[in-house]
């Protein structure tokens, strides 16, 4: 993608900082809603989607709550809370609808470059966990979003679903699994770059790659002044715009602090690095075709949920296991070790200290993860692949995730594990903080942002009609409309090329 440059102060309607899945989604959405909008996009690296949105940097599973057990916690009274799972499943359906709209409108070919059918499985062992999975299945299948989910304790059936996981397993061990054949794998790096390619072909869109935004300041006329440095020659680019979106992954927090908006005060970030074991034996990779999620160990954070993950990256099937966590003071994989210390300000020091004191088990967990030997990692893998051969696996460094720390009236400071949009009261600037489920729910997150930050347009008949065209379930509850779920899933599966592979896997 080409880079545009200028030394003069430019004007734009919208500035997007960070060329990841969030900016790509918002940029496409806004240009569809109002084609004459001018947009300037800044990215510190020389390519799009090279940080959190990259296929090797965590963002891969189409998070739809089919297999992620941490989205369905068991409450003290024994009931399974499925509210978060339903919300995420609905949001992922909105994502598929928006992608289908783009594929149909722009006649995009080679759709399977970014989305492929991969069944989603949950797998547990031990009597208590088997009972939890049984109750979870019973609760979820009451919702039309989870119709078709299968539950089994049958070894032979599980052998068909996930032969590698069952090979060499003790037949006396109580085990159970659920399977949702509707699952997908999404290469968010490929999707992001595809959307930016479409954006680049539209009038009024300027790209500034290899440009580092170092200043965001409110001007007297109410617009935002954004300054970026061209990292190749030191030239500065200045843009004024009435709206700025900060979608820079781990780099969003420092920029939010620089903006000076009161809504951004008190926010801090806790960086967590990730690692995978990547299979390098094609014969082993070919034997597994599923995303198999387990249960996090007692006392471990939600980010540690282990999974054996089939992914399709650049047209090639890959197999990963993890994630293994680590600690780094960088906010981005290609960031600075000073990111964390420089993010500590008077306004967020108290929440960060309180959150840190309340999350000492997380600190201990990360220390233990950092101290892991290769043998320790293989031991964790063998809980899912009893016959795993260390020679078939190598360590792959994943991306950085910055968990949100924020002020809390009752507790002083809390550590959040989701995503959060922080915006100014007037909606003129917004930043996305946090991690999972992030990319998978980008369409829903940006839909909410459009309604919050562009209320004068979002409520007009023109924008409402367009929003329903792009996302047919907009404004409706899929969970309460089984017929609509069936209808929209049939359409998106057809458009996104998911039907043939799903039928072959039956």
């Amino acid at each position: 993608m080409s880079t545009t440059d200028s030394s003069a102060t430019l004007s734009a309607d919208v500035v997007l900082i960070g060329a990841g899945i969030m900016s790509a989604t918002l940029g496409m959405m806004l240009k569809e809603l109002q084609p004459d909008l001018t947009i300037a996009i800044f990215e510190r690296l020389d390519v799009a989607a090279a940080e959190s949105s990259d296929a090797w940097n965590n963002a891969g599973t189409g998070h739809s709550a089919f297999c992620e057990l941490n989205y369905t916690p068991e409450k003290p009274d024994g009931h399974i809370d499925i509210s978060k799972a339903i919300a995420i499943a609905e949001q992922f359906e909105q994502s598929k609808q928006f992608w289908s709209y783009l594929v149909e409108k722009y006649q995009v070919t080679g759709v399977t470059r970014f989305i492929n059918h991969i069944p989603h499985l949950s797998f547990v062992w031990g009597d208590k966990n088997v009972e939890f999975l049984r109750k979870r299945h019973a609760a979820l299948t009451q919702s039309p979003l989870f119709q078709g989910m299968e539950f089994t304790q049958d070894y032979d059936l599980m052998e068909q679903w996930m032969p590698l996981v069952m090979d060499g397993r003790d037949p006396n061990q109580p085990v159970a699994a659920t399977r949702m054949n509707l699952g997908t794998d999404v290469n968010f790096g490929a999707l992001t770059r595809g959307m930016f390619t479409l954006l680049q072909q539209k009038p009024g869109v300027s790209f500034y790659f290899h440009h580092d935004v170092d200043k965001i300041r409110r001007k007297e006329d109410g617009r935002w002044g954004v300054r970026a440095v061209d990292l190749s020659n030191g030239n500065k680019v200045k843009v004024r715009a009435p709206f700025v979106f900060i979608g820079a992954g781990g780099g969003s927090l420092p920029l939010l602090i620089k903006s000076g908006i009161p809504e951004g005060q008190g926010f801090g970030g806790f960086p967590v690095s990730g690692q995978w074991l990547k299979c390098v034996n094609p014969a082993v990779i070919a034997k597994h075709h599923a995303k198999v999620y387990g249960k996090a160990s007692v006392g471990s954070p939600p980010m540690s949920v282990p999974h054996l993950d089939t992914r399709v990256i650049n047209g090639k099937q890959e197999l990963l296991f993890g994630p293994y966590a680590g600690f780094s003071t960088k906010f981005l994989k290609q960031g600075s070790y000073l990111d964390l210390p420089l993010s500590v300000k008077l306004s967020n020091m108290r929440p960060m200290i309180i959150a840190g004191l309340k999350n000492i088990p997380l600190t201990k967990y990360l220390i233990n993860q950092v101290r892991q030997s290769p043998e320790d990692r293989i031991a964790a893998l063998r809980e899912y692949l009893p016959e795993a051969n260390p020679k078939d696996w190598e360590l792959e460094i994943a991306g950085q995730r910055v968990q949100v720390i924020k002020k809390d009236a009752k507790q002083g400071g809390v550590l959040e594990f989701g995503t959060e949009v922080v915006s100014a009261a007037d909606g003129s600037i917004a930043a996305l903080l946090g991690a999972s489920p992030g990319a998978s729910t980008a369409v829903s997150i940006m839909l909410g942002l459009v309604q919050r930050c562009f209320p004068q347009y979002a409520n007009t008949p023109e924008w409402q009609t367009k929003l329903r065209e792009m996302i047919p379930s907009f404004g409706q509850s899929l969970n309460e409309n089984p017929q609509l779920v069936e209808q929209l899933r049939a359409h998106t599966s057809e458009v996104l090329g998911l039907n043939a592979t799903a039928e072959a896997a039956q």
Side-chain angles (χ1 to χ4, degrees), residues 216-218 222-226 239-242 244 259 261 428-429:
I216 304 177
R217 186 173 293 173
R218 194 73 174 262
R223 292 188 299 169
W224 288 93
V226 176
V239 180
R240 286 198 182 190
V244 174
S259 76
I261 60 170
S428 64
I429 188 169

Side-chain angles (χ1 to χ4, degrees), residues 60-103:
T61 298
H63 281 288
S64 39
F66 294 157
C67 57
E68 300 90 346
L69 300 179
N70 55 311
Y71 294 156
T72 51
E74 185 171 9
K75 295 301 184 181
D77 65 1
H79 92 277
I80 307 298
D81 182 357
I82 64 171
S83 56
K84 185 173 183 179
I86 286 173
I88 290 171
E90 288 214 8
Q91 290 168 350
F92 189 66
E93 291 302 320
Q94 288 189 328
S95 291
K96 288 195 295 181
Q97 290 167 44
F98 183 62
W99 302 336
S100 298
Y101 164 83
L102 295 178
V103 168

Side-chain angles (χ1 to χ4, degrees), residues 69 107 119 123 148 153 160 171 210 212 215 233 245 249 261 272 278 331 424 470 476:
L69 300 179
Q107 298 298 301
F123 175 69
Q153 289 180 263
Q160 293 175 32
H210 211 50
D212 187 28
K215 185 179 286 188
N233 56 27
F245 172 65
I261 60 170
V272 177
K278 170 187 171 183
F331 278 1
M470 295 190 295
Q476 302 181 71

Side-chain angles (χ1 to χ4, degrees), residues 23-94:
S23 290
T25 302
L26 181 59
M28 280 304 303
M29 201 176 277
L30 288 174
K31 283 297 272 187
E32 292 299 306
L33 288 164
Q34 191 163 324
D36 62 351
L37 277 178
T38 55
I39 300 177
I41 301 163
F42 290 92
E43 168 56 48
R44 194 169 60 91
L45 303 178
D46 54 8
V47 292
E51 278 279 356
S52 301
S53 301
D54 182 72
W56 290 109
N57 289 347
N58 294 327
T61 298
H63 281 288
S64 39
F66 294 157
C67 57
E68 300 90 346
L69 300 179
N70 55 311
Y71 294 156
T72 51
E74 185 171 9
K75 295 301 184 181
D77 65 1
H79 92 277
I80 307 298
D81 182 357
I82 64 171
S83 56
K84 185 173 183 179
I86 286 173
I88 290 171
E90 288 214 8
Q91 290 168 350
F92 189 66
E93 291 302 320
Q94 288 189 328

